[in-house]
Short mmCIF file of all heavy atoms in Angstrom, two decimals:
data_model
loop_
_atom_site.label_atom_id
_atom_site.label_comp_id
_atom_site.label_asym_id
_atom_site.label_seq_id
_atom_site.Cartn_x
_atom_site.Cartn_y
_atom_site.Cartn_z
N VAL A 10 -6.06 -0.74 2.59
CA VAL A 10 -7.27 -0.95 3.36
C VAL A 10 -7.28 -2.28 4.12
O VAL A 10 -7.76 -2.34 5.25
CB VAL A 10 -8.54 -0.78 2.45
CG1 VAL A 10 -8.60 -1.79 1.33
CG2 VAL A 10 -9.83 -0.91 3.28
N HIS A 11 -6.64 -3.31 3.56
CA HIS A 11 -6.53 -4.57 4.24
C HIS A 11 -5.05 -4.87 4.52
O HIS A 11 -4.24 -4.61 3.63
CB HIS A 11 -7.10 -5.72 3.40
CG HIS A 11 -8.47 -5.45 2.84
ND1 HIS A 11 -8.74 -5.38 1.50
CD2 HIS A 11 -9.62 -5.23 3.51
CE1 HIS A 11 -10.06 -5.11 1.37
NE2 HIS A 11 -10.55 -5.00 2.55
N ASP A 13 -2.04 -6.68 4.13
CA ASP A 13 -1.52 -7.46 2.96
C ASP A 13 -1.69 -6.76 1.60
O ASP A 13 -1.00 -7.11 0.63
CB ASP A 13 -2.01 -8.91 2.88
CG ASP A 13 -3.45 -9.12 2.35
OD1 ASP A 13 -4.00 -8.20 1.72
OD2 ASP A 13 -4.00 -10.20 2.60
N ASP A 14 -2.52 -5.73 1.52
CA ASP A 14 -2.64 -4.97 0.27
C ASP A 14 -1.31 -4.35 -0.12
O ASP A 14 -0.87 -4.42 -1.30
CB ASP A 14 -3.67 -3.78 0.42
CG ASP A 14 -5.10 -4.24 0.41
OD1 ASP A 14 -5.35 -5.43 0.26
OD2 ASP A 14 -5.95 -3.38 0.59
N HIS A 112 -11.17 -1.55 -2.14
CA HIS A 112 -9.93 -1.00 -2.66
C HIS A 112 -10.17 0.37 -3.32
O HIS A 112 -9.49 1.33 -3.03
CB HIS A 112 -9.27 -1.96 -3.69
CG HIS A 112 -8.80 -3.22 -3.04
ND1 HIS A 112 -8.42 -4.31 -3.82
CD2 HIS A 112 -8.65 -3.58 -1.78
CE1 HIS A 112 -8.04 -5.31 -3.00
NE2 HIS A 112 -8.14 -4.88 -1.76
N GLN A 154 -3.69 -3.37 -8.15
CA GLN A 154 -4.04 -4.52 -7.34
C GLN A 154 -4.54 -5.66 -8.21
O GLN A 154 -3.81 -6.04 -9.07
CB GLN A 154 -5.04 -4.08 -6.27
CG GLN A 154 -4.42 -2.99 -5.37
CD GLN A 154 -5.17 -2.75 -4.10
OE1 GLN A 154 -5.81 -1.78 -3.90
NE2 GLN A 154 -5.11 -3.70 -3.15
ZN1 ZN B 301 -7.42 -5.85 -0.09
#
Side-chain angles (χ1 to χ4, degrees):
V10 60
H11 309 119
D13 76 19
D14 284 358
H112 294 168
Q154 300 196 252

